[in-house]
Amino acid sequence: MVYFHRMKKRILTGDRPTGKLHLGHYVGSLKNRVKLQSEYDTYILIADVQALTDNFMHPEELKKNVLEVTLDYLAVGIDPKIATIFIQSQVPEIAELTVFYMNLVTLARLQRNPTVKDEMNQKGFGANVPIGFLAYPVSQAADITCVKADLVPVGADQVPMIEQTREIVRKFNELYKKVLVEPEALVGEISRLPGTDGNTKMSKSLGNVINLSDNSEAVKAKVMKMYTDPTRIHPTDPGHVEGNLLFIYHDAFNENKAEVEELKKRYTQGKVGDVEVKEKLTKSLNKFLDPIRARREKFEKDTGFVEKILAQGTQKARAEAADTLKLVKEAMQLP
Ligand code: TRP
């Protein structure tokens, strides 16, 4: 009998710790990560160094935010027994790899990176862009390659980062020796949840989020303020379901599909008021969030455990990164 010992492919994902995670994070990536963790050898990076690249004036918030993000991971069901959660700033090998990779990337190439370009415009950096910010894709290449990730599950906005990483890897492997793993983007069914104000993106900076840790009262208040069909003045007017924020959320979070269909039908017929649709949405959101909140509370009380998870994950990732750095230095014939 022949045994094929086939190791699981490795994935790396990550977030900048900018605060608590929200429903947009859940729909866009966390849900997928929870699913993928049993199929793949999963590494999750808390990118605190990257967070500094556009927020270096406020390093004092990072420590708290690293903890918040970790609590949210655990609350949604990331299992630290199978997934490795680690902190970027505690893996200095990433910084060292970044320095070597810098030689393989041109200024013009970084300026052409569409995600960097967008963010530059958004932040109004112009010619005064900090080098650390402009070069963060290089550091991200180090994040990915340090643990030898095969796959990087991303949304569309991060695809240029993976493309840039692949170019760096190919250049390195050609120039020195083939030691780096060339990663592939794993672009899932990308769903982006609109904010509670109807903006296409839910984002902390836009102030339109429902956090995973919001209590039921906060959820209710936010839902009650949500926009609905602007063409509908009275509950007896026939309403529009398509593109209607309330129904986008119902579709995403209400498990009772029959109820959603029935509400949609009555809505288009002008036989249900916004308040009932909102009350039912509040109920299903709270039903979805209840177990998440309960798990979060449990872990909040046990910060010792959470710190241990981070320490162990970081130690494991660091050992892998040290191995990669050793290979890299050997390939470059450095002492
Ligand atoms: N750039 C990602 C974001 O802003 C976070 C990140 C840092 C990341 N390093 C990564 C994502 C490596 C995937 C792989 O969300």
Side-chain angles (χ1 to χ4, degrees):
M1 198 173 185
V2 182
Y3 286 94
F4 287 101
H5 181 70
R6 191 153 196 228
M7 279 188 354
K8 282 183 179 177
K9 285 207 176 191
R10 182 169 293 176
I11 61 178
L12 177 104
T13 60
D15 296 290
R16 295 184 198 179
T18 55
K20 292 179 169 169
L21 299 180
H22 51 66
L23 290 178
H25 290 117
Y26 185 82
V27 169
S29 64
L30 296 175
K31 187 179 176 187
N32 196 33
R33 279 185 212 171
V34 172
K35 196 179 102 213
L36 293 175
Q37 66 179 345
S38 46
E39 276 167 66
Y40 296 98
D41 180 17
T42 296
Y43 280 72
I44 304 178
L45 169 78
I46 305 183
D48 55 348
V49 178
Q50 189 176 109
L52 279 174
T53 63
D54 67 344
N55 200 30
F56 56 85
M57 317 69 109
H58 295 294
E60 70 282 358
E61 287 171 15
L62 278 176
K63 196 173 165 186
K64 186 180 101 254
N65 289 342
V66 167
L67 192 66
E68 297 284 12
V69 168
T70 310
L71 285 169
D72 285 325
Y73 287 161
L74 297 172
V76 296
I78 296 290
D79 179 357
K81 286 203 279 306
I82 52 176
T84 305
I85 306 172
F86 68 109
I87 306 174
Q88 193 180 27
S89 63
Q90 305 305 306
V91 183
E93 288 79 5
I94 292 175
E96 254 187 275
L97 288 170
T98 303
V99 171
F100 296 134
Y101 295 170
M102 293 262 200
N103 296 325
L104 311 177
V105 187
T106 66
L107 176 62
R109 176 62 182 90
L110 284 167
Q111 286 170 328
R112 270 201 312 273
N113 182 310
T115 304
V116 172
K117 233 175 168 173
D118 282 353
E119 285 174 307
M120 293 256 297
N121 287 338
Q122 212 181 309
K123 295 174 206 295
F125 278 142
N128 292 321
V129 61
I131 300 282
F133 180 82
L134 188 67
Y136 91 74
V138 184
S139 156
Q140 191 155 329
D143 299 338
I144 296 167
T145 54
C146 81
V147 296
K148 308 175 182 78
D150 303 293
L151 298 165
V152 188
V154 286
D157 67 315
Q158 289 291 307
V159 172
M161 296 298 157
I162 314 308
E163 205 31 66
Q164 185 120 47
T165 301
R166 287 164 62 87
E167 283 173 33
I168 291 169
V169 167
R170 284 199 291 264
K171 204 150 183 189
F172 186 98
N173 286 346
E174 245 165 64
L175 199 55
Y176 305 113
K177 193 178 164 201
K178 194 174 177 307
V179 292
L180 296 175
V181 176
E182 188 175 333
E184 266 174 63
L186 187 67
V187 189
E189 17 159 331
I190 316 137
S191 7
R192 177 175 270 188
L193 189 72
T196 53
D197 60 354
N199 191 298
T200 52
K201 196 179 171 189
M202 180 174 277
S203 142
K204 190 188 171 194
S205 57
L206 297 170
N208 61 11
V209 308
I210 295 178
N211 285 322
L212 293 166
S213 48
D214 278 352
N215 64 30
S216 53
E217 285 307 304
V219 170
K220 185 177 176 191
K222 287 176 184 180
V223 170
M224 287 304 163
K225 273 198 243 152
M226 276 168 68
Y227 290 100
T228 60
D229 182 353
T231 66
R232 192 170 182 249
I233 297 154
H234 309 288
T236 48
D237 297 344
H240 298 87
V241 164
E242 223 115 292
N244 186 317
L245 203 54
L246 291 181
F247 287 103
I248 293 173
Y249 277 58
H250 264 294
D251 282 334
F253 297 103
N254 190 340
E255 284 191 330
N256 185 347
K257 299 297 163 209
E259 178 179 273
V260 178
E261 285 321 303
E262 188 255 351
L263 280 176
K264 283 181 179 173
K265 202 169 145 203
R266 278 163 61 209
Y267 200 82
T268 46
Q269 294 169 343
K271 286 184 181 158
V272 63
D274 284 345
V275 172
E276 186 182 338
V277 182
K278 287 182 172 181
E279 275 168 356
K280 291 200 160 124
L281 177 59
T282 303
K283 213 170 133 206
S284 42
L285 278 174
N286 280 326
K287 194 172 160 209
F288 166 76
L289 289 172
D290 272 339
I292 295 176
R293 288 188 285 239
R295 272 197 297 270
R296 198 183 207 277
E297 257 167 56
K298 194 186 87 190
F299 290 117
E300 263 170 4
K301 288 195 199 107
D302 197 355
T303 40
F305 173 79
V306 178
E307 276 163 16
K308 203 176 91 196
I309 295 299
L310 287 172
Q312 284 174 348
T314 302
Q315 193 184 27
K316 186 175 159 200
R318 196 172 172 195
E320 193 66 84
D323 179 70
T324 304
L325 182 62
K326 184 167 159 274
L327 295 172
V328 158
K329 283 183 162 177
E330 278 169 8
M332 297 175 76
Q333 300 181 50
L334 292 170

